[in-house]
């Protein structure tokens, strides 16, 4: 049965190859001081930085630079961003980059006017913000996380060997996001396909849970089919606008809170992937790819009905004269085939993990109870061992 829920998503999206111009409509809504958040410099190479700066200047803004946001942003960088925002009394945090920049901007936004230590408050105690929140805007250059239209923020603490996400409420979601598919054309192939799998897995995390007849599952199947179709076009021709724009839009819908409404969700692949990330600092989508098949093969018997449906509806497996187990297994084989075809990393060893890290990774894995099987620590260790 569809559960009860409230639904609101306040992020205004500007989508398309001319969408950056809409910054001119958004910027006048905010004060003069703009913290321009970006990563290691890709936006300087591909020209997006110059375009954004030109618009900021045309709107009479003071630009406060905050560069060097690393993939998997760290707690040290968060403290630096908070200091920059406080010293400059910023009015808007404008993230230009991928999920890392966008997540980081949200973490800064809830910390600027808060006296507590943000790591402890938001990522250890999971408290909600009780202070003024600095608004966040986003110009997306890497597709995958859905951070452009959700409240998620994931921060890594290398000293404590933890990578933790907090899903903030709608007050923290970006006020607006600019989605220009052409901005993603310069992504290295590895990042592009890691993003594809991040999208796919976000959908799976919300799909592989519950057995009720739920509209969300039909939407999820459509999103998965669209992604599989477009991904195969994009790996041959990364500049295929139709494919890249469909993928960008699918990514947003995969994790903008809609398909989780009224149903339970899993998220254990992400918990395992985050533990791997805490130890290896590997690319997020690749950590998910590397643990997925051992995890899904392990939980399949507990969610057989949904895995059978996944096989027939998403992968068009013909169920005639086959047991449900056979059908479900064929579905996972098709998933594996697609993952290999688009070039994902299929084991955690290739991401830098070693057997010596396994016990620590088990401890770093949060155990959630929304999936088909609540894992024990032994099961987690076995799944990680199979992922090596
Ligand atoms: O730093 P720069 O130089 O910009 O390079 C980036 C980075 O090296 C590069 N890049 C981005 N756009 C580019 C580009 N290179 C060339 N051309 C472009 N147009 O790509 C690299 C990866 O960027 P990053 O932002 O780290 O990737 P992603 O978008 O996958 O974000 C990953 C972070 O988001 C978190 C992850 O855990 C990770 O920390 N997540 C956030 C979620 C959320 N908010 O809901 C959910 C996800 O499950 C995920 O956990
Ligand atoms: Zn993800």
């Amino acid at each position: 049965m569809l559960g009860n829920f409230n639904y609101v998503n306040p992020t205004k999206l500007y989508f398309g190859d001319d969408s950056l111009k809409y910054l001119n409509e958004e910027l006048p809504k905010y004060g003069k001081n703009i913290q321009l958040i970006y990563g290691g410099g890709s936006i300087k190479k591909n020209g997006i930085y110059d375009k954004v700066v030109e618009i900021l200047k045309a709107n009479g803004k003071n630009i406060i630079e905050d560069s060097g946001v690393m993939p998997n942003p760290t707690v040290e960088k968060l403290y630096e961003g908070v200091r920059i925002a406080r010293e400059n009394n910023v009015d808007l945090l404008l993230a230009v980059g991928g999920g890392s920049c966008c997540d980081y901007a949200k973490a800064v936004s809830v910390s600027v006017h808060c006296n507590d230590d943000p790591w402890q408050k938001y990522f250890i105690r999971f408290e909600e913000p009780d202070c003024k929140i600095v608004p966040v805007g986003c110009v997306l250059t890497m597709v995958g996380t859905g951070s452009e239209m959700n409240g998620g923020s994931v921060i890594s603490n290398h000293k404590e060997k933890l990578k933790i996400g907090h899903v903030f409420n709608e007050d923290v979601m970006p006020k607006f996001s600019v989605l220009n598919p052409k901005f993603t054309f310069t992504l290295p192939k590895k990042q592009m396909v890691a993003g594809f799998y991040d999208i796919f897995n976000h959908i799976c995390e919300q799909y592989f849970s519950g057995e009720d007849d739920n509209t969300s599952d039909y939407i999820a199947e459509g999103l998965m089919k669209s992604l599989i179709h477009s991904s195969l076009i994009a790996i041959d021709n990364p500049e295929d606008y139709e494919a890249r724009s469909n993928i960008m839009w699918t990514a947003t819908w995969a994790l903008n809170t809609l398909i989780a409404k009224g149903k339970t969700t899993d998220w254990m692949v992400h918990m395992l992937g985050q533990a791997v990330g805490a130890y290896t600092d590997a690319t997020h989508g690749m950590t998910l790819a590397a643990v997925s098949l051992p995890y899904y093969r392990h939980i399949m018997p507990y969610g057989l009905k949904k895995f059978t449906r996944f096989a027939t509806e998403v992968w068009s497996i013909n169920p005639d004269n086959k047991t449900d187990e056979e059908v479900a297994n064929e579905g996972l084989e098709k998933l594996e085939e697609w993952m290999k075809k688009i070039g994902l990393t299929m084991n955690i060893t290739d991401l830098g993990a070693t057997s010596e890290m396994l016990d620590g990774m088990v401890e770093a894995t949060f155990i959630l109870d929304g999936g088909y099987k609540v894992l024990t620590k032994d099961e987690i260790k076995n799944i990680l061992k199979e992922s090596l």
Side-chain angles (χ1 to χ4, degrees):
M1 194 185 77
L2 196 62
N4 302 344
F5 59 86
N6 297 341
Y7 180 64
V8 62
N9 193 315
T11 304
K12 182 160 187 179
L13 296 181
Y14 297 99
F15 192 98
D17 61 358
D18 67 348
S19 49
L20 191 65
K21 71 179 185 209
Y22 293 103
L23 270 187
N24 289 305
E25 287 188 11
E26 288 296 329
L27 291 173
K29 298 178 188 168
Y30 304 95
K32 244 180 140 36
N33 297 330
I34 313 292
Q35 187 158 334
L36 178 57
I37 291 170
Y38 58 100
S42 68
I43 63 163
K44 289 203 166 164
K45 281 194 210 122
N46 59 26
I48 298 172
Y49 175 88
D50 288 342
K51 289 181 187 147
V52 171
V53 165
E54 193 186 324
I55 297 175
L56 287 168
K57 285 188 178 155
N59 282 273
K61 302 296 183 185
N62 295 331
I63 301 171
I64 296 113
E65 293 257 342
D66 181 5
S67 63
V69 178
M70 59 293 285
N72 310 320
T74 62
V75 67
E76 289 80 12
K77 180 63 190 162
L78 168 58
Y79 295 144
E80 183 185 295
V82 172
R83 179 183 54 73
I84 294 171
R86 285 180 183 159
E87 283 174 5
N88 295 281
N89 196 16
V90 303
D91 300 299
L92 174 72
L93 299 157
L94 183 62
V96 185
S100 293
C101 288
C102 205
D103 279 19
Y104 164 84
K106 290 177 220 168
V108 172
S109 83
V110 293
S111 308
V112 179
H113 298 287
C114 165
N115 292 326
D116 268 342
D117 173 63
W119 171 255
Q120 290 296 328
K121 181 177 173 69
Y122 299 122
F123 299 93
I124 297 294
R125 299 199 302 270
F126 289 100
E127 289 174 21
E128 286 308 313
D130 44 16
C131 55
K132 189 179 146 202
I133 297 164
V134 182
V136 170
C138 171
V139 176
L140 197 67
T141 67
M142 151 93 198
V143 167
T145 63
S147 190
E148 67 275 12
M149 203 183 189
N150 70 35
S153 175
V154 184
I155 297 294
S156 293
N157 186 324
H158 293 304
K159 277 197 204 110
E160 294 181 20
K161 290 248 184 289
L162 288 172
K163 181 177 183 188
I164 299 179
H166 185 135
V167 182
F168 291 103
N169 64 30
E170 60 266 17
D171 297 337
V172 187
M173 290 183 186
K175 300 293 172 222
F176 64 89
S177 285
V178 170
L179 274 57
N180 181 342
K182 285 192 174 162
F183 286 179
T184 68
F185 284 0
T186 54
L187 270 170
K189 192 165 182 199
K190 177 190 147 194
Q191 293 295 342
M192 178 182 83
V193 299
F196 293 172
Y197 193 69
D198 195 18
I199 304 166
F200 193 83
N201 194 255
H202 291 160
I203 306 168
C204 290
E205 300 276 32
Q206 297 163 94
Y207 182 77
F208 287 120
S209 177
E211 292 206 340
D212 35 358
D213 181 22
N214 190 309
T215 300
S216 291
D217 289 334
Y218 295 88
I219 302 173
E221 286 159 359
L223 292 173
M224 286 193 261
K225 286 201 271 196
S226 167
L227 176 65
I228 295 161
H229 169 77
S230 295
S231 68
L232 295 172
I233 297 169
I235 49 164
D236 283 340
N237 179 12
E239 300 209 356
D240 186 302
Y241 184 82
E242 190 172 38
R244 297 302 289 273
S245 56
N246 278 321
I247 292 168
M248 192 171 218
W249 194 215
T250 301
T252 304
W253 281 104
L255 196 53
N256 70 356
T257 72
L258 179 88
I259 64 168
K261 290 298 164 191
K263 74 186 295 289
T264 53
T265 56
D266 182 359
W267 293 107
M268 274 315 295
V269 171
H270 271 67
M271 295 306 104
L272 291 158
Q274 279 176 203
V276 173
Y279 275 76
T280 61
D281 203 25
T283 300
H284 171 67
M286 293 305 190
T287 64
L288 306 177
V291 300
S292 276
L293 286 161
Y295 174 71
Y296 286 133
R297 291 204 161 106
H298 184 76
I299 63 157
M300 195 256 277
Y302 303 94
L304 189 56
K305 204 170 149 197
K306 187 58 81 60
F307 278 92
T308 309
R309 175 173 166 169
F310 176 67
T312 56
E313 299 308 309
V314 179
W315 298 103
S316 306
I317 303 293
N318 179 353
D320 292 352
N321 305 317
K322 292 173 195 159
T323 64
D324 284 354
E325 282 84 359
E326 284 167 345
V327 175
N329 268 321
E330 280 188 39
L332 290 181
E333 278 162 24
K334 282 275 182 198
L335 170 62
E336 182 169 6
E337 208 177 283
W338 171 71
M339 290 170 77
K340 288 182 174 160
K341 198 168 190 173
I342 63 171
L344 293 165
T345 307
M346 301 299 287
N347 64 73
I348 61 174
T349 307
D350 289 348
L351 299 175
T354 61
S355 50
E356 288 72 42
M357 293 176 183
L358 287 187
D359 287 330
M361 286 178 184
V362 173
E363 290 311 313
T365 303
F366 285 62
I367 300 174
L368 305 178
D369 60 5
Y372 289 121
K373 169 82 178 70
V374 180
L375 298 182
T376 64
K377 290 197 181 218
D378 282 346
E379 288 176 305
I380 292 174
K381 190 163 179 183
N382 283 337
I383 290 165
L384 289 170
K385 220 187 249 173
E386 283 171 31
S387 307
L388 273 172

